[in-house]
Amino acid sequence: MPSYLSNLKIHNLYDITMSSKEAHSKFDILEEIAMNRHHNLLGGNISTISQYNQNSKFIEPYHLILMNLEDYPTGDELSLKRLKSVFDSAYEAGFYLIAYGNKSFLESKNKAIQHIVNSFPLLEVESNNFKLTNELFTYNYMTEGYHFESVNDDKEKIIDSILKTYTKEEADSEQEFLSVPIASSMDGRQTINFTLGDKSKNYHAFITGISGSGKTTLLNNIILGIAQKYTSDDIRLYLMDYKEGVEFQVFKHHPNCEKIFLDNEDIQASITLLEEFKNKIKNRASIFREKGLKDISTHNVKNPKTPMPRIILIIDEVHRLFAGNYKQQAYFSKLLTEVVRQGRAFGVHIILSTQTLAGTHIDKTLMSQIGLRVSFKLTHHSDSEDIFTYSNTEALELDNYELIYNQKSGNKKANLRARANSPQDIDMILSEVYKIRDIELILKPKIVTTSVNTKIHNSETKEESERDYKYNTDNEDAYLNKLKKMGIKT
Ligand SMILES: Nc1ncnc2c1ncn2[C@@H]1O[C@H](COP(=O)(O)OP(=O)(O)OP(=O)(O)O)[C@@H](O)[C@H]1O
Ligand SMILES: [Mg+2]
């Protein structure tokens, strides 16, 4: 995917499917949108979305679907029946389709391609020239004597101008330091973003759900969204993974990642890290005091060229940290509560995920500091009431990969039911990000496997902490070699 397109992807203006499985799930979404539009918007005098848009204050977006026939899946993966049903409702539903590819597809034996060839008008382009036909353009007789050729404008420039208008609107309505897509509403019409910041007044998050319900996939999508949308000047990640200590290994090339902890037995490592965060908070507090600043948001507004990065710690399977001896557990939960309470003002944020809160030391004091709660399917009333509030048990009714997004500390009225986005190709996305990211902004995550390695080099002097250290320069050669191996030019 060219880099200018990945910029559109970040803003949900563009999406791509690389496999027939992904194509199926995208077609599911399109079919659902089409069905909803037919049920709710069309009827009477209004038979198409374009008519609807001419008569409505709320404009429905159009979808342009481009199909590369050269890479069309063979076999029955994307069934002909399915294609036909999307094509049949396309025009009314506001979908527009363009199929393209090398001329050889005209002879293809694939039934789906034959169907496309027979139902779409053909535009042949040869050496950048083409001829309009009556089939393509009713008033074609008026074009006689004209010569047509394809233009090759500066694509980066076009995309820039689209993004300028688009991101301006986004920026005006947004003072969140984090906002990444994670799900879509049940009718498929709205994207649900995972957001933290001053607008929603949420600075930490808690995620629950039974085994296999989609928690790790959601975390992965948040972590990928961060790589795509924010640089290490904006957000730095610490990933702790307590499931067999392997899942977060896939992020060893994440450009925003400071440390990845892979030892599921090592409770001491998490204690050491939280102590490190406490020191960071202390340093930042003394900088703010000196400069008379209220908090990190004020600091970053006043110093747009040297912002302080937000630090996000993500702990998957956090309940495993409550398996050690009682003293250690109690100390860990005390530290966690302290960091969570002070983190808001100093830019230290925590996202916790667990199957159940039962048996942990996560109490009401800690929960009251964590306004954003997300739950996948649960099977016990008590689990649902622990993550949300008394009698808020909607999580018991969820289907697979559905979630409740609640920004109001679990208040029942704020439940937002949604469908979580499916797993993505992590390696592909990260290597796309590498191609467009300034090397100066790429961190080399430190993989921590034992508590010995976690010894803090608390390098953060006051000056350094204004911009933290750039990327880790020790072992730079090995790092550059690694990039080369990934096919990334340095
Ligand atoms: N939104 C989704 N759409 C399609 N498949 C999904 C989705 N979310 C998760 N899956 C699939 O479901 C399986 C379980 O997901 P995941 O590992 O995220 O669950 P989990 O809640 O973290 O489970 P556990 O508690 O056992 O760690 C994975 O194989 C994943 O590919
Ligand atoms: Mg998991």
Side-chain angles (χ1 to χ4, degrees):
M1 178 173 48
S3 60
Y4 49 86
L5 289 182
S6 55
N7 275 331
L8 291 185
K9 190 163 191 273
I10 296 163
H11 295 280
N12 284 320
L13 293 169
Y14 166 88
D15 208 349
I16 188 166
T17 62
M18 307 290 276
S19 69
S20 47
K21 193 169 153 229
E22 278 179 357
H24 265 298
S25 69
K26 295 277 152 58
F27 271 99
D28 281 344
I29 296 170
L30 288 178
E31 275 177 355
E32 183 143 350
I33 295 174
M35 219 160 64
N36 269 301
R37 288 181 170 180
H38 273 285
H39 276 240
N40 303 325
L41 309 176
L42 305 180
N45 290 336
I46 312 270
S47 60
T48 68
I49 284 299
S50 90
Q51 282 172 354
Y52 172 84
N53 280 347
Q54 283 161 31
N55 294 294
S56 167
K57 267 200 299 197
F58 304 102
I59 303 297
E60 287 288 309
Y62 296 104
H63 292 74
L64 176 63
I65 303 159
L66 302 175
M67 299 176 73
N68 183 351
L69 296 187
E70 285 168 33
D71 291 331
Y72 200 87
T74 48
D76 66 350
E77 289 105 323
L78 197 58
S79 68
L80 181 59
K81 208 170 135 215
R82 182 127 218 213
L83 264 186
K84 277 185 175 159
S85 97
V86 173
F87 289 179
D88 286 348
S89 68
Y91 175 58
E92 286 99 359
F95 305 156
Y96 296 87
L97 301 132
I98 299 175
Y100 63 97
N102 190 297
K103 217 171 157 185
S104 58
F105 68 70
L106 292 173
E107 271 92 53
S108 169
K109 297 267 178 302
N110 181 307
K111 287 245 157 49
I113 295 188
Q114 282 175 359
H115 179 72
I116 293 171
V117 169
N118 293 332
S119 16
F120 286 28
L122 184 72
L123 177 68
E124 276 188 76
V125 183
E126 214 164 287
S127 334
N128 280 342
N129 295 312
F130 58 87
K131 260 206 171 94
L132 288 182
T133 58
N134 293 339
E135 204 190 358
L136 277 164
F137 184 51
T138 324
Y139 303 107
N140 191 34
Y141 63 89
M142 293 165 74
T143 67
E144 266 168 36
Y146 285 89
H147 165 80
F148 292 93
E149 61 184 78
S150 35
V151 286
N152 197 9
D153 279 332
D154 184 342
K155 295 186 186 63
E156 305 262 0
K157 223 167 157 183
I158 297 172
I159 302 282
D160 270 358
S161 74
I162 296 173
L163 287 179
K164 249 189 211 124
T165 38
Y166 190 78
T167 48
K168 190 178 173 305
E169 281 169 26
E170 219 182 31
D172 286 349
S173 67
E174 197 186 83
Q175 310 118 27
E176 310 286 46
F177 68 85
L178 171 67
S179 178
V180 289
I182 52 157
S184 52
S185 57
M186 297 303 284
D187 63 6
R189 288 173 66 183
Q190 267 181 327
T191 297
I192 311 292
N193 287 316
F194 183 92
T195 55
L196 294 176
D198 294 336
K199 188 166 169 247
S200 62
K201 301 224 166 356
N202 285 318
Y203 301 92
H204 313 281
F206 212 106
I207 298 162
T208 56
I210 57 170
S211 176
S213 57
K215 300 180 296 296
T216 301
T217 303
L218 169 69
L219 289 178
N220 288 351
N221 285 340
I222 294 171
I223 295 166
L224 282 177
I226 290 173
Q228 290 174 301
K229 195 166 169 186
Y230 304 96
T231 72
S232 58
D233 270 357
D234 308 314
I235 293 180
R236 304 209 168 185
L237 285 172
Y238 290 77
L239 306 179
M240 274 197 177
D241 160 7
Y242 281 87
K243 184 165 187 183
E244 283 107 46
V246 289
E247 303 225 34
F248 282 154
Q249 231 176 133
V250 290
F251 293 115
K252 60 182 185 288
H253 297 301
H254 194 295
N256 301 57
C257 210
E258 289 270 17
K259 281 183 186 169
I260 304 178
F261 294 78
L262 294 176
D263 192 344
N264 56 335
E265 311 246 296
D266 197 356
I267 293 168
Q268 188 52 42
S270 55
I271 289 181
T272 314
L273 182 71
L274 287 179
E275 283 170 340
E276 187 179 342
F277 284 175
K278 259 183 76 175
N279 277 331
K280 215 174 249 296
I281 288 173
K282 226 161 106 192
N283 284 336
R284 287 185 168 183
S286 80
I287 295 169
F288 293 170
R289 215 170 354 203
E290 231 165 63
K291 296 190 172 176
L293 296 169
K294 184 168 87 121
D295 56 19
I296 185 168
S297 306
T298 333
H299 175 277
N300 289 353
V301 167
K302 293 206 166 158
N303 303 278
K305 289 209 175 116
T306 52
M308 253 183 208
R310 302 273 180 170
I311 290 159
I312 303 180
L313 165 63
I314 299 182
I315 310 183
D316 198 4
E317 311 265 335
V318 69
H319 57 274
R320 300 211 182 198
L321 287 176
F322 293 95
N325 71 55
Y326 185 83
K327 240 174 140 180
Q328 224 176 8
Q329 286 184 37
Y331 183 53
F332 171 74
S333 100
K334 180 174 160 271
L335 272 175
L336 194 62
T337 311
E338 273 176 37
V339 170
V340 159
R341 187 180 297 133
Q342 299 180 342
R344 180 196 65 76
F346 302 104
V348 179
H349 311 278
I350 300 191
I351 300 173
L352 302 172
S353 163
T354 179
Q355 287 173 19
T356 168
L357 282 170
T360 67
H361 276 257
I362 292 168
D363 58 15
K364 290 228 153 55
T365 330
L366 178 57
M367 284 307 274
S368 69
Q369 303 284 332
I370 305 181
L372 176 56
R373 321 264 176 93
V374 180
S375 186
F376 287 90
K377 187 175 178 52
L378 292 171
T379 43
H380 295 294
H381 270 249
S382 57
D383 282 340
S384 188
E385 292 184 332
D386 280 348
I387 172 94
F388 296 135
T389 47
Y390 175 70
S391 89
N392 187 352
T393 54
E394 203 183 330
L396 305 179
E397 295 154 27
L398 294 174
D399 279 332
N400 270 351
Y401 316 137
E402 283 178 11
L403 56 83
I404 289 174
Y405 188 83
N406 188 308
Q407 290 183 291
K408 303 266 182 233
S409 305
N411 185 321
K412 212 170 170 176
K413 286 193 191 128
N415 281 359
L416 191 60
R417 186 165 171 172
R419 287 212 176 96
N421 292 346
S422 42
Q424 303 180 76
D425 184 336
I426 294 174
D427 282 343
M428 188 191 86
I429 291 177
L430 290 184
S431 71
E432 287 299 333
V433 171
Y434 263 79
K435 283 182 205 153
I436 52 172
R437 182 79 28 101
D438 185 346
I439 181 115
E440 291 261 295
L441 293 169
I442 294 179
L443 301 181
K444 171 181 162 261
K446 189 166 186 167
I447 311 284
V448 182
T449 47
T450 70
S451 57
V452 182
N453 289 349
T454 65
K455 268 218 155 320
I456 333 154
H457 50 282
N458 204 347
S459 61
E460 203 172 59
T461 63
K462 279 184 198 168
E463 295 77 48
E464 276 177 308
S465 80
E466 296 225 342
R467 211 163 155 77
D468 290 292
Y469 47 94
K470 279 289 188 185
Y471 71 112
N472 199 336
T473 45
D474 60 41
N475 212 0
E476 191 173 341
D477 286 346
Y479 179 49
L480 293 177
N481 276 337
K482 205 180 269 177
L483 293 187
K484 245 185 228 151
K485 269 195 202 141
M486 288 175 75
I488 292 154
K489 284 200 194 110
T490 54

